[in-house]
Structure formats: C-alpha cells, structure tokens
Amino acid sequence: MYNPSDFYGISESITMMSLQDYQLDYYVIKEDWWNWGSGDIYNQAGEAIARMHRRALSLRALIEVTNLNGHRLFSVERKIISLRPAFVLKDEHGDTIGRTNRKLLTLFRPKLWLEDARGQRLLEAQGNFLGKDFQIKTTQGQSVARVAKSDFFRDLFLGGSLFDYSDTYAVKINDGNYDKRLLLGFVIAIDNSVHDDN
C-alpha cells in the first residue's frame, strides 16, 4: 500500500472518512495512469477518503470528485475558450465556486491563481523549477498549502515501482480556514494546467 507519510515524515494514524473534515490537513492525490484524471484521494493514514473520476467523453476534461459512496463533492473542468489554461471548480449542485488561470510566459516556474465566482483573486500558486512542487499563498503572501509532486526518482527511493503509472501529489495544508474543495480543486487544476496535456 502507498504510504503518504513518506513525503513529510508524518507517522500518526488518523481515521477520517470526510474530505472536508476540519482536522484533516494532509492529503495525497494519486492520479492513476499518468494524466487520465481518475484515482483516489487519501488522508495522512493512507486511507482513501474520496475518488476522482474523469469522464471519458468530455471536451472540458471533466473530473468529478466524490466521496466513497459516490456522492459528488465538487468537479473541475477546463474552460474551452481561453487564451491560457483555465479551469472552473463547481460544487455538488453545479454552481461555480472558483476559477483558475495560469500566467503566460512562465515556462520554468509556473504561476497560477484561484479566483472566487465573482472574479476576486483568492490564492496564488508558484511552482519551483519545472513545477514539481508548489507553494500556495494568499494574495498577501501568507502560506496556505504546500504541494509536492512525486517524480520517477522519488518513487524509486520511496519504494515505488518502475511500473507505477500514477501521478502522485502530497498536499500539506497550513491554514485550515479555506474550503478543502477549493484547495484540492486548485491542485487538480494545477496538475492539468502544468503537467498534463489534455
């Protein structure tokens, strides 16, 4: 079984089954088969707490995130008409709760931002070299979350397999005041904007 604790040295075992539990501040997003968009979301104990499902026939690259019993929590979909990679986050009722955009001409250190439904900028994400890791901050510069992308070499050192075809992201949330749907939706949009070719 994949052990998410390896990313940040977290050893405690916490059993939680709610994606939005206020005590939960660590997630692992494991996207199966490279950039397909389906897979599971785990808590820091390595337990699946939600599932991602990408619709096979969707021009918008629609990814629905559900809890384990299939109830939709939120979705992430690409805007078709946009000058830059942009995604829309929607709640379980299909109402827009956020939009992401990527700054143009930032090839080596990608930068993205998250707006609310009214267009007010909430969060910014700055990637390190080639966008393997990201810092998510408020517009005032306060740290909200850190995102680490597992790569080939890291997988080898952490016990991964040459035949593990999944993209994996560890998300450590530093400020629990933010809606977890927005934060995790932002991370999924970052993956689709920076690392995937949809």
Side-chain angles (χ1 to χ4, degrees), residues 13-142:
S13 178
I14 296 178
T15 301
M16 296 178 189
M17 299 310 291
S18 172
L19 183 82
Q20 298 194 76
D21 194 300
Y22 74 95
Q23 295 179 16
L24 193 56
D25 61 0
Y26 182 89
Y27 298 87
V28 170
I29 300 174
K30 193 170 177 83
E31 185 181 31
D32 297 333
W33 297 101
W34 294 295
N35 62 354
W36 173 244
S38 295
D40 289 332
I41 299 175
Y42 299 87
N43 64 13
Q44 58 236 55
E47 301 161 334
I49 55 173
R51 293 201 166 96
M52 298 178 295
H53 174 71
R54 178 164 174 182
R55 290 194 185 170
L57 301 174
S58 172
L59 294 175
R60 295 181 178 271
L62 175 64
I63 297 173
E64 294 177 313
V65 177
T66 66
N67 61 19
L68 296 181
N69 67 13
H71 176 75
R72 188 164 98 162
L73 301 170
F74 66 91
S75 64
V76 180
E77 62 183 51
R78 183 179 60 215
K79 287 178 69 174
I80 294 177
I81 301 174
S82 179
L83 294 175
R84 55 176 64 103
F87 289 81
V88 178
L89 313 181
K90 296 185 177 182
D91 66 14
E92 66 273 21
H93 306 295
D95 296 325
T96 298
I97 57 174
R99 293 183 183 88
T100 71
N101 282 292
R102 179 177 175 184
K103 186 175 182 180
L104 295 175
L105 305 176
T106 55
L107 181 62
F108 295 110
R109 294 197 68 220
K111 184 172 183 178
L112 300 93
W113 63 90
L114 172 71
E115 302 171 349
D116 64 17
R118 297 169 306 206
Q120 180 180 354
R121 193 176 292 198
L122 300 174
L123 300 171
E124 297 175 349
Q126 177 74 60
N128 67 354
F129 182 68
L130 296 180
K132 292 295 184 183
D133 298 328
F134 277 83
Q135 290 283 346
I136 298 177
K137 298 181 178 181
T138 66
T139 54
Q140 292 79 32
Q142 298 165 326

